[in-house]
Amino acid sequence: MHKLERLRKEMLALDVDALLISKPENRFYISGFRGSAGTVLITATQAYLLTDFRYIEQATNEAPAFEIVRTGQPEKDALKDLVTAQDIKRLGFERDYVTYAGYEGLKKRLEETQLVPVEDVVRKLRMVKDETEIEHMQAAANIAEAAFQEILPLIQVGRSEAEIALELEIAMRRRGAERLAFPIIAASGPRSSLPHGAPTDRVLQPGDFLTLDFGAVSGGYCSDMTRTVVLGEPSAKQKEIYDIVLKAQLEAQAAIKPGLKGGDIDKIARDIIADAGYGEYFGHGLGHGVGLQVHEGPRAGRASEDILEPGMVVTIEPGIYIPDFGGVRIEDMVLVTDSGHKNFNHSSKELLIL
Ligand SMILES: [Mn+2]
């Protein structure tokens, strides 16, 4: 089903005459418009994209199914004119995105209209990807993986986390990433116990773990993966915790199929880590959806009731983080299919000794 049709079906249930969409990822998802400013207005029969002079030509090219309406002209209020002309009485807006000031502004401009805060319905639609979206995500994953393989020889004693993160960023950009999906996480030695450790000038030492968490963007879509490597022979404890995380990752991933709840998958990994005695060191959820944003629905944490459906993409990223010692996380991004799942990643998950 076309994205707009799916959205209109959701709008019926919300009992609104029109829906205002301004969150950039939602605006792009529905319209195809990639500019940084603009608002989409959807009614039961019409689709408008309101944007200013800077984006009129781009919007016309990128959103051919939309009527482009110019905003930012002092003598008129384009949104108000449309709302009046279309006789919109109940106007939905994104409650998770519109700020209080934004809401106040709308209220002032649209005195006659009832403003209805609605849950992020586009987020719901975005959870299930179509073929084109999956292709973009595979391209983004391929870029990140190839870049990781390319920079492996640079991960050496004496290099800093920041240098390695920079090399990885350059390699992804050179291979066609539009941008990074998120700032690279590079945490080494005792710092690898920081699940989201930003790279520092810390220089790699013999025996260090190094955790790299990174992703590329292609066609607007993100990838996300994590690998932990070790510099030189691992200690017995390093090997132990790596093997536990790996087992948790592999078993949770192997279980993925439609019908499972996010929380069910989390439990598979969490039980393995807890049974090995490290439950208190795995303090975050197992994974999350990925798409136009690196973190989106469905959720795959402990309390997640989100039910997996074909076309959903989730990460599987258990970890063990021990303060003053270090940590391990291993992450792949997986597509839920009719029969089970398909992995976007191909890099080995065995402990890489560099
Ligand atoms: Mn992730």
Side-chain angles (χ1 to χ4, degrees):
M1 212 193 304
H2 192 273
K3 287 168 181 154
L4 215 44
E5 285 173 55
R6 288 172 66 208
L7 180 61
R8 285 195 172 115
K9 229 177 122 189
E10 295 289 335
M11 282 169 58
L12 275 180
L14 294 167
D15 189 28
V16 291
D17 302 319
L19 186 60
L20 209 52
I21 296 169
S22 35
K23 182 174 173 165
E25 293 84 4
N26 290 346
R27 188 174 65 211
F28 168 65
Y29 180 81
I30 286 298
S31 71
F33 173 57
R34 297 193 70 171
S36 65
T39 303
V40 160
L41 180 73
I42 310 289
T43 73
T45 54
Q46 308 293 315
Y48 303 97
L49 172 55
L50 294 82
T51 192
D52 66 75
F53 171 79
R54 296 168 299 170
Y55 291 112
I56 298 297
E57 186 179 352
Q58 182 182 342
T60 308
N61 294 332
E62 291 177 343
F66 281 65
E67 187 175 323
I68 311 303
V69 178
R70 184 170 161 188
T71 58
Q73 302 183 88
E75 65 278 12
K76 63 176 186 177
D77 184 337
L79 176 62
K80 189 175 177 174
D81 292 350
L82 272 179
V83 165
T84 307
Q86 294 295 316
D87 196 25
I88 294 164
K89 298 210 164 46
R90 283 172 55 81
L91 175 62
F93 69 94
E94 297 161 302
R95 64 183 300 169
D96 296 317
Y97 183 72
V98 174
T99 61
Y100 189 69
Y103 170 72
E104 282 185 321
L106 281 175
K107 219 167 110 178
K108 213 168 142 193
R109 286 161 69 192
L110 308 172
E111 281 170 330
E112 311 291 308
T113 313
Q114 193 183 344
L115 295 170
V116 184
V118 299
E119 56 165 324
D120 193 340
V121 282
V122 182
R123 174 188 184 274
K124 202 168 134 188
L125 302 184
R126 279 168 45 194
M127 287 204 280
V128 176
K129 272 74 181 175
D130 65 24
E131 282 301 320
T132 308
E133 295 179 289
I134 292 163
E135 279 169 26
H136 287 314
M137 295 188 74
Q138 185 64 64
N142 291 349
I143 288 167
E145 282 205 310
F148 174 63
Q149 297 298 336
E150 179 187 323
I151 63 121
L152 278 178
L154 303 172
I155 301 176
Q156 292 171 11
V157 169
R159 304 293 295 260
S160 73
E161 294 167 350
E163 281 178 296
I164 291 161
L166 177 62
E167 296 288 354
L168 183 54
E169 174 166 355
I170 292 169
M172 286 196 277
R173 294 294 304 273
R174 197 189 292 119
R175 288 169 181 276
E178 289 160 17
R179 57 184 167 85
L180 302 183
F182 54 93
I184 292 169
I185 290 165
S188 65
R191 292 192 76 250
S192 57
S193 67
L194 300 171
H196 276 187
T200 67
D201 290 336
R202 185 184 182 279
V203 169
L204 299 184
Q205 329 244 318
D208 277 355
F209 270 143
L210 170 66
T211 298
L212 289 170
D213 186 346
F214 53 98
V217 174
S218 182
Y221 286 82
C222 299
S223 69
D224 190 6
M225 72 178 281
T226 305
R227 289 293 183 271
T228 301
V229 301
V230 65
L231 282 100
E233 277 305 313
S235 68
K237 185 159 181 186
Q238 282 177 317
K239 220 182 149 335
E240 181 199 355
I241 67 169
Y242 191 93
D243 288 344
I244 296 162
V245 173
L246 180 59
K247 182 166 189 271
Q249 205 284 336
L250 291 172
E251 293 201 13
Q253 184 163 310
I256 290 195
K257 61 176 187 203
L260 283 180
K261 283 183 193 157
D264 299 336
I265 300 168
D266 179 283
K267 188 175 187 316
I268 295 171
R270 197 165 302 279
D271 284 351
I272 290 169
I273 291 172
D275 289 348
Y278 289 95
E280 65 178 296
Y281 301 108
F282 176 30
H284 59 73
L286 177 66
H288 54 86
V290 187
L292 291 171
Q293 288 173 281
V294 72
H295 293 124
E296 57 177 60
R299 291 163 307 132
R302 241 173 295 198
S304 173
E305 297 280 326
D306 291 348
I307 294 170
L308 297 185
E309 290 174 39
M312 286 182 173
V313 174
V314 284
T315 65
I316 307 295
E317 48 179 310
I320 292 177
Y321 313 92
I322 305 172
D324 300 322
F325 174 77
V328 172
R329 180 168 64 255
I330 306 168
E331 173 184 28
D332 274 356
M333 192 171 81
V334 172
L335 172 70
V336 183
T337 63
D338 292 318
S339 55
H341 63 272
K342 184 177 160 281
N343 198 343
F344 284 97
N345 297 99
H346 308 289
S347 294
S348 168
K349 286 182 277 200
E350 294 301 321
L351 179 55
L352 255 180
I353 301 168
L354 298 174

